[in-house]
C-alpha cells in the first residue's frame, strides 16, 4: 500500500494528514481538531515554526447522574479540558478532589461516593485550570422512631425517669445525629425535658412522645404519690409576733429517703394549741390574738410538725423623750440608746438615696429634721452631705477632694462638725447644718489616722487626734484649740463624756482608761488594762459609759468592764466579742461571733442570746437600742429584736451602720453608698 502526503492549510496554521487509501482517510479524519503530528521527524505546526499541543484554557464538568445523593450512593462526573476557542482537548490528565471527604469522596476516574449529610464541592483540574460542581448529600430519611424507658413505667411523684429515643431507617437500622422534640400529654402529671428526662409531678397517667422528621413514637407512664414520712413546720426567721400581727408558716414534707415532697398536692391540716393566743388558717397564716405561748401544728398522713411561737404584749409607741442621734453611738456617753418605744407593726420603708455609688458611708447623725452622712473611703471620694430627713432630698454637699479621709460627722449648735486626715489635710471643720456654709476650719495634729465622730456640747468639741496620738478640746463656736492631752497613738476611736469628765480608752504601750477634766484636760486618774491584747494600731471601739458607774468596751475578742468607783477592771470575758457595746438599764448588748448577747452589766452574767438566721450573714459591730427593741445588722439584713420576747420580730433586706432619730426613723448607712430610711412610727 502506498501513501502520499499533501499539505492542507486550515486557518493557515495546521497540517491535515490524508492517506491515499480511502480506508485510512476515513480513520484519521477528525472534525474541528487541530493535530500536530510528528511523522518521520518533526513537522512544523502552523506557519510560525512553533511546536507543542494547545494549552488548556478551561475545564468543564458534566454530571452523569444525580446531584442530590444519600449516603453510599454514587454518581459519575466527566471533565472536559478546552482550549481558548472552547474546543475539547484530548489526552490531558485530570486531577479530582473533594472539599469535604466526610460528605463525599471522588476517585480519579470521576466516580463520586456519598459518605455523610452535607454540602460538598468537587473540583477537576488540568494544567492549572479547574472547575467545580456542587453536590448535596442528604441524610437517610427517618422511617420510624422507638423509645426505650430506662426503668419501670411507674414513677413516684418528684422523681425522674430517663427515656431514650432512637431513629430508624426503612430497614430498621439505627440512624445517628437526629434531634428529637419531646412532649408530655399532661404536664400536670409529668414533664419531660428536651433530653428525654421525665419528672413525675402528681398522680395520673401520661403519654410521652418523641418526634423527629415528622416521625414519632409514644410511651405511656403512670405517676403515683410517695407517702409522707415526716412533717416540719419551722417558724423560720421569726418565732414571735404581736396581737393582730400575722406570721406565715411554711410546711416541709419529706419522703422516707429525705427528699422534699411538693406540698401543693398534699394539703396539711393546721391547728393551734390555744386559739385565745393565736389562730392559724388553712394556708398556715398565723394571727396573734392575745399574749402567751402557742404551738402551731401541721399534720399530713399521720405525721405532725409544729412551731412554738410567742405572742408578745403589744408595745405602746412613745417617742416623747427621744433625742436625736448626734454623734457616734448616738450620744456623748456612746450608749447607742434612744429613749423611745417602737411598734414593729407600724414599720415601713420611707426612702432610699444613693449618696455616692460604691463609697462606704459613715453612721448617719440627725438633728432638727435633717440627716448628715460622710463617705468612708481612703484617698477616694471624700464628701459630707446634708439631707432632708423626711424625703432624703439633698440639702447641701461639701466635697473635700481626694484627701486621705473625711471622718464621721457629729452635730450640735446648729452646726455639723467633722474632722479630716492626712499630712497637711488635718482639720476640724464646722458647717452650718441648714446651708452647709463653713463656720470655721481649725488645724489639729494628725498624720494618717482616722477617727470616730467627736463629741459636741454647747461650748466644746472633744475629739481624738494628735500627731502621735492624743485628745483635743476645741471651742465649739470659734474653733480655737482649748487644750490637748497626750494618749497612746491609735486610730479608730473617740472619747466619751459624762458630766464634767471626758474618758478615753487606748492600748499599748500603756493600755488604760483615762479620765480627764472636761474643762481643763487635766488627768484625773487612769485604770490600767493589764489583759490588753495588741492586734494592730486601730482600737475599733470607743468607751461606753454604763448605768452602774462603769465603762464598757470590746477589745481583741474581749469584753471588758472598768469600774469607775474602784478604778479597776470589774470583770472581763474572752470569746469572739467585737464592735460597740450598747447599754440600756442594767443590761448590755454586744455581738459575740454570729450571736447577739444580752449580759448583766454588773457581773457579765449571760441573760439571753439570739443567733442570726442561717444565710443572713454575720452581725456587724454596731447596735441600736430603743426601750423595747434592739436593732442588729448584717451585710444583707437588719433585724429588730424584742427585748422582752428575746427574739426577732422584724427584718429589712438591707444591712449597714445603724442610727435612730428622735423623729422615729431608723437609718441604715450601707457599704455601697446607699442610705436607707425606715419609719419606726
Amino acid at each position: 500500500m502506498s501513501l502520499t502526503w499533501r499539505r492542507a492549510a486550515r486557518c493557515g496554521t495546521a497540517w491535515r494528514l490524508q492517506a491515499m487509501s480511502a480506508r485510512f482517510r476515513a480513520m484519521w479524519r477528525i472534525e474541528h481538531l487541530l493535530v500536530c503530528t510528528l511523522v518521520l521527524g518533526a513537522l512544523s505546526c502552523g506557519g510560525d515554526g512553533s511546536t507543542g499541543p494547545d494549552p488548556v484554557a478551561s475545564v468543564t464538568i458534566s454530571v452523569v447522574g444525580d446531584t442530590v445523593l444519600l449516603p453510599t450512593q454514587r454518581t459519575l462526573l466527566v471533565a472536559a479540558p478546552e482550549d481558548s476557542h472552547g474546543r475539547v482537548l484530548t489526552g490531558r490528565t485530570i486531577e479530582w478532589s473533594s472539599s469535604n471527604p466526610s460528605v463525599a469522596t471522588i476517585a480519579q476516574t470521576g466516580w463520586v461516593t456519598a459518605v455523610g449529610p452535607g454540602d460538598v464541592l468537587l473540583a477537576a483540574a488540568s494544567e492549572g485550570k479547574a472547575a467545580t460542581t456542587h453536590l448535596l448529600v442528604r441524610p437517610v430519611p427517618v422511617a420510624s422512631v422507638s423509645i426505650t424507658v430506662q426503668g419501670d413505667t411507674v414513677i413516684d411523684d418528684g422523681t425522674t425517669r430517663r427515656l431514650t429515643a432512637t431513629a430508624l431507617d426503612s430497614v430498621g437500622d439505627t440512624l445517628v445525629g437526629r434531634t428529637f422534640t419531646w412532649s408530655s400529654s399532661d404536664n400536670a402529671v409529668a414533664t419531660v425535658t428536651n433530653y428525654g428526662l421525665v419528672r413525675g409531678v402528681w398522680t395520673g397517667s401520661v403519654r410521652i412522645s418523641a418526634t423527629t422528621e415528622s416521625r414519632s413514637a409514644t410511651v405511656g407512664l403512670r405517676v403515683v404519690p410517695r407517702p409522707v414520712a415526716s412533717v416540719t413546720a419551722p417558724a423560720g426567721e421569726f418565732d414571735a409576733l404581736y396581737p393582730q400581727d400575722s406570721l406565715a408558716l411554711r410546711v416541709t414534707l419529706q419522703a422516707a429517703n429525705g427528699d422534699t415532697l411538693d406540698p401543693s398536692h398534699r394539703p396539711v391540716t393546721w391547728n393551734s394549741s390555744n386559739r385565745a393566743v393565736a389562730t392559724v388558717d388553712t394556708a398556715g397564716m398565723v394571727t396573734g390574738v392575745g399574749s402567751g405561748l402557742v404551738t402551731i401544728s401541721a399534720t399530713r398522713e399521720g405525721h405532725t410538725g409544729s412551731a412554738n411561737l410567742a405572742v408578745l404584749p403589744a408595745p405602746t409607741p412613745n417617742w416623747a423623750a427621744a433625742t436625736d442621734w448626734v454623734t457616734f453611738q448616738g450620744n456623748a456617753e456612746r450608749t447607742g440608746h434612744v429613749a423611745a418605744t417602737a411598734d414593729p407593726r407600724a414599720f415601713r420603708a420611707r426612702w432610699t438615696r444613693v449618696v455616692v455609688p460604691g463609697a462606704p458611708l459613715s453612721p448617719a447623725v440627725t438633728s432638727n429634721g435633717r440627716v448628715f452622712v460622710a463617705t468612708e473611703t481612703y484617698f477616694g471620694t471624700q464628701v459630707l452631705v446634708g439631707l432632708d430627713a423626711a424625703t432624703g432630698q439633698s440639702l447641701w454637699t461639701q466635697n473635700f477632694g481626694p484627701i486621705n479621709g473625711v471622718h464621721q460627722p457629729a452635730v450640735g449648735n446648729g452646726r455639723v462638725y467633722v474632722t479630716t486626715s492626712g499630712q497637711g489635710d488635718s482639720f476640724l471643720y464646722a458647717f452650718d447644718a441648714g446651708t452647709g456654709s463653713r463656720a470655721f476650719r481649725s488645724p489639729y495634729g494628725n498624720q494618717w489616722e482616722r477617727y470616730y465622730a467627736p463629741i459636741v456640747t454647747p461650748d466644746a468639741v472633744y475629739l481624738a487626734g494628735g500627731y502621735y496620738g492624743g485628745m483635743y478640746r476645741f471651742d465649739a463656736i470659734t474653733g480655737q484649740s482649748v487644750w490637748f492631752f497626750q494618749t497612746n497613738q491609735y486610730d479608730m476611736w473617740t472619747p466619751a463624756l459624762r458630766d464634767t469628765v471626758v474618758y478615753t480608752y487606748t492600748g499599748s504601750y500603756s493600755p488604760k482608761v483615762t479620765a480627764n477634766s472636761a474643762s481643763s484636760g487635766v488627768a484625773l486618774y487612769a485604770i490600767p488594762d493589764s489583759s490588753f491584747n495588741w492586734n494592730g494600731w486601730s482600737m475599733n471601739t470607743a468607751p461606753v459609759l454604763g448605768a452602774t458607774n462603769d465603762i464598757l468596751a470590746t477589745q481583741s475578742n474581749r469584753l471588758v468592764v472598768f469600774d469607775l468607783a474602784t478604778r479597776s477592771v470589774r470583770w472581763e470575758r474572752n470569746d469572739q466579742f467585737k464592735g460597740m457595746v450598747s447599754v440600756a438599764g442594767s443590761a448590755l448588748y454586744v455581738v459575740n461571733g454570729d450571736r447577739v448577747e444580752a449580759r448583766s452589766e454588773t457581773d457579765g452574767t449571760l441573760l439571753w442570746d439570739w443567733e442570726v438566721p442561717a444565710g443572713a450573714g454575720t452581725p456587724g459591730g454596731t447596735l441600736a437600742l430603743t426601750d423595747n427593741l434592739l436593732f442588729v445588722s448584717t451585710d444583707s439584713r437588719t433585724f429588730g429584736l424584742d427585748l422582752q420576747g428575746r427574739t426577732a420580730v422584724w427584718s429589712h433586706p438591707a444591712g449597714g451602720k445603724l442610727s435612730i432619730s428622735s423623729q422615729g426613723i431608723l437609718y441604715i448607712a450601707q457599704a455601697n453608698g446607699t442610705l436607707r430610711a425606715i419609719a419606726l412610727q
Side-chain angles (χ1 to χ4, degrees):
M1 176 173 57
S2 60
L3 298 172
T4 62
W5 297 83
R6 70 175 178 172
R7 183 176 183 179
R10 185 177 184 183
C11 299
T13 62
W15 293 90
R16 184 183 299 279
L17 178 64
Q18 293 183 331
M20 294 293 294
S21 166
R23 174 184 174 191
F24 280 95
R25 285 198 301 271
M27 182 182 300
W28 287 87
R29 185 175 181 178
I30 301 174
E31 284 293 328
H32 307 299
L33 181 65
L34 299 178
V35 180
C36 293
T37 306
L38 180 62
V39 178
L40 302 177
L43 300 179
S44 66
C45 186
D48 58 1
S50 62
T51 63
D54 285 346
V56 174
S58 62
V59 178
T60 61
I61 298 176
S62 301
V63 181
V64 184
D66 294 327
T67 57
V68 179
L69 306 176
L70 297 177
T72 73
Q73 288 185 336
R74 303 179 73 201
T75 193
L76 177 64
L77 303 186
V78 177
E82 296 177 347
D83 67 7
S84 60
H85 298 287
R87 293 171 293 205
V88 176
L89 303 175
T90 62
R92 305 305 169 92
T93 300
I94 304 296
E95 294 183 0
W96 291 96
S97 62
S98 169
S99 67
N100 192 345
S102 66
V103 175
T105 61
I106 187 166
Q108 293 306 308
T109 59
W111 279 102
V112 178
T113 301
V115 178
D119 294 322
V120 66
L121 284 177
L122 300 167
S126 180
E127 299 179 14
K129 304 298 182 180
T132 61
T133 189
H134 174 268
L135 289 181
L136 175 64
V137 180
R138 295 189 184 278
V140 175
V142 175
S144 62
V145 176
S146 68
I147 297 178
T148 302
V149 181
Q150 297 181 12
D152 196 355
T153 58
V154 178
I155 309 175
D156 289 334
D157 77 291
T159 65
T160 59
R161 187 77 77 243
R162 174 71 66 181
L163 305 186
T164 303
T166 304
L168 305 172
D169 64 12
S170 58
V171 296
D173 289 338
T174 298
L175 301 175
V176 298
R178 306 305 161 94
T179 300
F180 293 90
T181 300
W182 291 89
S183 62
S184 168
S185 64
D186 190 346
N187 285 329
V189 176
T191 60
V192 61
T193 69
N194 292 333
Y195 305 99
L197 184 66
V198 177
R199 176 174 292 276
V201 177
W202 192 238
T203 180
S205 297
V206 67
R207 299 193 69 80
I208 305 297
S209 300
T211 302
T212 186
E213 296 179 21
S214 300
R215 303 292 180 177
S216 63
T218 301
V219 65
L221 302 175
R222 186 162 59 93
V223 179
V224 297
R226 283 190 284 178
V228 174
S230 69
V231 177
T232 56
E237 199 170 70
F238 307 113
D239 57 9
L241 67 162
Y242 298 107
Q244 287 76 54
D245 200 3
S246 295
L247 176 65
L249 297 184
R250 291 180 174 86
V251 67
T252 300
L253 309 177
Q254 289 184 309
N257 66 350
D259 286 351
T260 299
L261 302 177
D262 184 356
S264 64
H265 297 291
R266 297 175 172 86
V268 299
T269 300
W270 291 95
N271 183 61
S272 169
S273 66
N274 190 342
R275 296 179 62 83
V277 175
T279 61
V280 59
D281 64 14
T282 57
M285 182 65 71
V286 179
T287 300
V289 177
S291 301
L293 301 178
V294 64
T295 299
I296 306 296
S297 60
T299 302
R300 171 78 187 190
E301 298 175 26
H303 299 278
T304 299
S306 61
N308 294 320
L309 303 177
V311 178
L312 306 174
T316 300
N318 185 353
W319 291 84
T323 56
D324 270 316
W325 195 281
V326 295
T327 185
F328 180 66
Q329 286 291 102
N331 51 57
E333 296 182 352
R334 313 295 187 189
T335 63
H337 173 247
V338 172
T341 300
D343 186 349
R345 295 173 297 181
F347 291 2
R348 65 195 185 281
R350 188 155 187 173
W351 51 261
T352 298
R353 180 174 179 84
V354 178
V355 178
V356 178
L361 300 181
S362 69
V365 292
T366 65
S367 177
N368 294 327
R370 306 183 187 99
V371 58
F372 308 95
V373 67
T375 53
E376 290 189 334
T377 60
Y378 185 73
F379 284 111
T381 301
Q382 311 286 3
V383 298
L384 170 68
V385 299
L387 306 172
D388 185 285
T391 65
Q393 293 301 306
S394 178
L395 300 176
W396 51 265
T397 298
Q398 288 291 338
N399 191 330
F400 298 90
I403 63 174
N404 171 258
V406 58
H407 306 158
Q408 300 174 2
V411 61
N413 307 315
R415 294 176 175 179
V416 181
Y417 299 84
V418 66
T419 56
T420 58
S421 59
Q423 292 184 346
D425 293 314
S426 298
F427 298 97
L428 167 64
Y429 288 87
F431 300 99
D432 184 274
T435 66
S437 60
R438 192 172 80 186
F440 65 74
R441 185 183 78 163
S442 301
Y444 78 107
N446 190 339
Q447 297 185 63
W448 308 106
E449 289 83 4
R450 302 169 64 86
Y451 296 109
Y452 295 155
I455 300 166
V456 178
T457 69
D459 61 348
V461 180
Y462 301 90
L463 58 98
Y467 202 78
Y468 296 106
M471 174 176 56
Y472 285 92
R473 170 176 171 162
F474 281 83
D475 187 286
I477 307 303
T478 66
Q480 295 298 310
S481 177
V482 178
W483 54 255
F484 171 78
F485 177 78
Q486 184 70 53
T487 67
N488 298 307
Q489 186 177 6
Y490 274 81
D491 70 353
M492 302 302 287
W493 68 276
T494 188
L497 173 71
R498 176 178 286 170
D499 300 327
T500 60
V501 181
V502 60
Y503 300 90
T504 64
Y505 174 44
T506 56
S508 301
Y509 299 98
S510 176
K512 61 190 174 219
V513 167
T514 60
N516 295 72
S517 167
S519 60
S520 65
V522 172
L524 303 177
Y525 60 87
I527 305 174
D529 183 8
S530 59
S531 300
F532 186 90
N533 295 320
W534 187 88
N535 64 342
W537 296 107
S538 296
M539 288 298 297
N540 297 311
T541 193
V544 177
L545 289 160
T548 58
N549 197 27
D550 50 21
I551 282 181
L552 308 88
T554 63
Q555 192 274 316
S556 187
N557 294 326
R558 301 164 60 224
L559 174 61
V560 57
V561 174
F562 299 90
D563 191 306
L564 299 181
T566 63
R567 300 178 183 178
S568 62
V569 173
R570 181 187 297 168
W571 58 264
E572 64 177 285
R573 299 287 186 274
N574 283 277
D575 205 336
Q576 300 179 59
F577 298 103
K578 63 180 179 179
M580 289 298 300
V581 179
S582 292
V583 61
S586 60
L588 66 86
Y589 304 89
V590 65
V591 173
N592 185 3
D594 59 0
R595 305 185 313 277
V596 176
E597 293 183 347
R599 290 180 175 270
S600 166
E601 184 181 340
T602 303
D603 58 14
T605 300
L606 180 65
L607 304 176
W608 55 270
D609 65 359
W610 176 82
E611 187 172 357
V612 174
T618 302
T622 59
L623 307 172
L625 270 171
T626 68
D627 291 342
N628 66 314
L629 297 172
L630 171 65
F631 293 94
V632 58
S633 186
T634 69
D635 288 339
S636 60
R637 297 193 72 81
T638 298
F639 295 90
L641 311 185
D642 187 285
L643 298 182
Q644 181 178 348
R646 303 177 176 182
T647 189
V649 292
W650 174 85
S651 74
H652 181 75
K657 297 171 182 175
L658 307 178
S659 51
I660 302 172
S661 76
S662 62
Q663 296 177 314
I665 299 177
L666 171 69
Y667 294 99
I668 305 173
Q670 297 184 257
N672 63 3
T674 300
L675 182 64
R676 294 175 181 264
I678 310 297
L680 304 184
Q681 65 169 339

